[in-house]
């Protein structure tokens, strides 16, 4: 069966510091991968998605970037965090058709 | 692009009652409609989905209905239990070939014992 991992689970970072969040998927090959952000009490905002290694599409211009160095690895990065980057970051993988399965999430607090 | 509206934003019911959450979408080309349940501090979990060639789908106490003409779909939960309390999100498929989803803003369901 397929499993999706995210780490870290929780992160507290100062403004201006760099960020690296990692997502890995097991049990499937060549999945579509997605990064979402969820602000407190709000919906899901798609940030990036990838259909293959090195292929990244950005949905929202912002302070963040994404990379896919391996088939089942998706990384979300920032060079300098802003207060507004705080939120719950969710990685998802795409199975058959448009079905998406979410990871456990990373809670980021920028102070 | 696709726009998904979800109502109500909060829903309180007594244990054993039914709950209905409704969503409308704007893109007539959308053909896939999943529902997710998100418990506090966790990632959303897919609970049921429906494709545009089907009008209704049921899985035990939950069911989803789709009206393509009116471009709306609904989640029905019968015999609600306290463990059904969570935030529920509907979604609709995005542009064909990109496998993206557009989500509603969520409904917080509270089931009181």
């Amino acid at each position: 069966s397929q499993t999706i991992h995210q780490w870290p689970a929780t992160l507290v970072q100062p403004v201006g510091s760099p960020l690296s969040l990692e997502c890995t998927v097991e049990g499937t090959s060549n999945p579509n991968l997605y990064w979402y952000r969820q602000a407190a009490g709000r919906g899901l905002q798609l940030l990036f998605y990838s259909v293959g290694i090195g292929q990244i599409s950005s949905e929202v211009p912002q302070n963040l970037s994404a990379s896919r160095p391996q088939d089942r690895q998706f990384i979300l990065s920032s060079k300098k965090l802003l207060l507004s980057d705080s939120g719950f970051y969710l990685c998802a993988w795409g199975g058959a058709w448009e079905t998406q399965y979410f990871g456990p999430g990373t809670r980021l607090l920028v102070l | 692009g696709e726009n998904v509206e979800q109502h109500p934003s909060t829903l309180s019911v007594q244990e054993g009652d039914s709950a209905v959450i409704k969503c409308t979408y704007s893109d007539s080309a959308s053909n896939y409609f999943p529902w997710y349940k998100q418990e506090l501090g966790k990632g959303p979990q897919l609970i049921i989905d429906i494709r545009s060639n089907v009008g209704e789908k049921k899985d035990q106490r939950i069911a989803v209905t789709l009206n393509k003409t009116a471009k709306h779909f609904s989640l029905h939960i019968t015999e609600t239990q306290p463990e059904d309390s969570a935030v529920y999100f509907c979604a609709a498929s995005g542009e064909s070939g990109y496998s993206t989803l557009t989500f509603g803003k969520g409904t917080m369901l509270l089931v009181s014992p």
Side-chain angles (χ1 to χ4, degrees), chain A residues 32 34 36 38 41-44 46 49 51 57 59 88 90 96-105 107, chain B residues 31-32 36 38 40-46 49 51 87 89 93-94 97-101 103-106:
Chain A
N32 291 338
Y34 308 83
Y36 290 85
Q38 186 176 34
R42 303 188 66 177
L44 297 159
L46 179 63
Y49 68 93
V51 298
S57 296
E59 288 293 297
F88 192 43
L90 290 155
W97 299 87
E98 299 92 341
T99 308
Q100 293 183 24
Y101 302 93
F102 286 86
R107 188 161 303 282
Chain B
N31 58 9
Y32 174 66
Y36 290 85
Q38 186 177 26
L40 191 62
K42 297 184 178 181
Q45 178 187 11
L46 178 69
D49 56 11
R51 299 198 179 276
V87 178
F89 291 96
S93 59
Y98 289 93
S99 297
T100 60
L101 295 172
F103 286 82
K105 294 187 182 303

